[in-house]
Amino acid sequence: MTMEEEKRERFIEVALREFSKGYTAANTDVIVKEAGISKGLLFHYFGSKRGLFLFLNKYVLDIFITEYEKVISDSCDFLENIKTVSNLKRDLSSRYPLIFGFMMKAYLSINDVFPEGLPGDLVNLNYTLMKQIYERSNKNKTILKDGIDKEKAQNIIIWTMNGFTESLFRYGDEVDAYKAHFDDAGKELEEYLQTLRKILYR
């Protein structure tokens, strides 16, 4: 976007807040009014409401990848890095409540918004971040039990974590609900990680 920085940040803030209501409930008229831009300019940049939603997803993905890069350690194993990132999420939910609100609603609606499949330059947020953790973890990869295929072990862990992430929506899709149950979710995650460690690691 070529907007001046202050206007751009204001626009993104307003758009994230509006889409935090859910994709269907988000109203572009509200966005342009509160951001102080014309509707023509919005559609000039993004083409459609769906295009704006796509932009916001990429924006959020970039932020989380940057934050995860700060804490993922090359010397730690995959499961230990997952635990570290999980602890980071609690901090991020307080530092970026607006982004977290958008992310939780987007997670539930993105496949409905793109029924034909995600655009090539937008991959599943959770899967992308899990792949990032895996690629940075345990460079020698010698901690797996003999006879266990490394790629299949990676998939087992990623699928388990994706299922765990989806299960957290039993608490609701609002940031405050997520934060209220963070301790319980953390204990549950640790149990899954310990089980995976027993199954896959030496």
Side-chain angles (χ1 to χ4, degrees):
M1 291 174 59
T2 56
M3 287 182 188
E4 57 188 65
E5 184 175 355
E6 184 176 345
K7 181 175 285 189
R8 178 178 185 273
E9 293 305 314
R10 170 62 181 164
F11 172 81
I12 291 173
E13 178 184 344
V14 169
L16 286 171
R17 183 181 300 111
E18 187 64 16
F19 276 98
S20 293
K21 301 174 182 176
Y23 181 83
T24 301
N27 189 322
T28 54
D29 289 335
V30 172
I31 294 172
V32 296
K33 180 179 179 180
E34 293 190 7
I37 67 169
S38 69
K39 198 162 189 177
L41 188 60
L42 183 148
F43 287 108
H44 167 73
Y45 281 124
F46 306 108
S48 63
K49 176 181 176 180
R50 196 167 83 148
L52 173 57
F53 182 68
L54 176 62
F55 166 81
L56 293 173
N57 272 277
K58 293 177 183 176
Y59 175 82
V60 168
L61 180 62
D62 286 345
I63 289 175
F64 275 82
I65 286 177
T66 299
E67 292 292 342
Y68 281 25
E69 283 284 351
K70 296 176 183 177
V71 299
I72 300 172
S73 172
D74 294 347
S75 62
C76 290
D77 66 68
F78 192 17
L79 297 179
E80 190 61 33
N81 273 327
I82 288 175
K83 183 177 179 179
T84 299
V85 165
S86 176
N87 291 332
L88 173 65
K89 284 183 179 180
R90 184 170 199 165
D91 175 53
L92 295 180
S93 66
S94 297
R95 287 166 53 196
Y96 302 116
L98 196 57
I99 288 175
F100 248 82
F102 168 82
M103 183 182 70
M104 294 180 73
K105 297 290 188 178
Y107 186 89
L108 295 174
S109 61
I110 195 164
N111 290 327
D112 292 331
V113 178
F114 300 102
E116 72 281 7
L118 298 181
D121 56 350
L122 177 66
V123 288
N124 178 280
L125 174 62
N126 199 48
Y127 184 80
T128 300
L129 297 176
M130 290 298 295
K131 286 280 287 184
Q132 178 198 20
I133 297 169
Y134 182 78
E135 289 166 1
R136 286 282 307 278
S137 301
N138 187 40
K139 294 298 186 178
N140 59 27
K141 300 182 177 66
T142 59
I143 58 175
L144 295 176
K145 289 179 178 178
D146 293 338
I148 292 182
D149 181 272
K150 292 168 184 166
E151 184 175 350
K152 287 184 171 59
Q154 168 194 325
N155 288 337
I156 288 170
I157 295 171
I158 290 177
W159 294 338
T160 300
M161 292 301 100
N162 282 342
F164 173 73
T165 297
E166 290 186 7
S167 76
L168 295 179
F169 285 99
R170 68 184 182 272
Y171 298 130
D173 58 1
E174 302 292 338
V175 176
D176 288 344
Y178 170 78
K179 292 169 69 174
H181 294 279
F182 197 92
D183 289 339
D184 292 337
K187 292 177 183 177
E188 185 179 358
L189 173 63
E190 180 61 28
E191 291 173 358
Y192 280 112
L193 295 179
Q194 289 298 333
T195 299
L196 288 169
R197 197 178 296 277
K198 290 177 183 178
I199 294 171
L200 301 173
Y201 286 8
R202 294 178 188 273

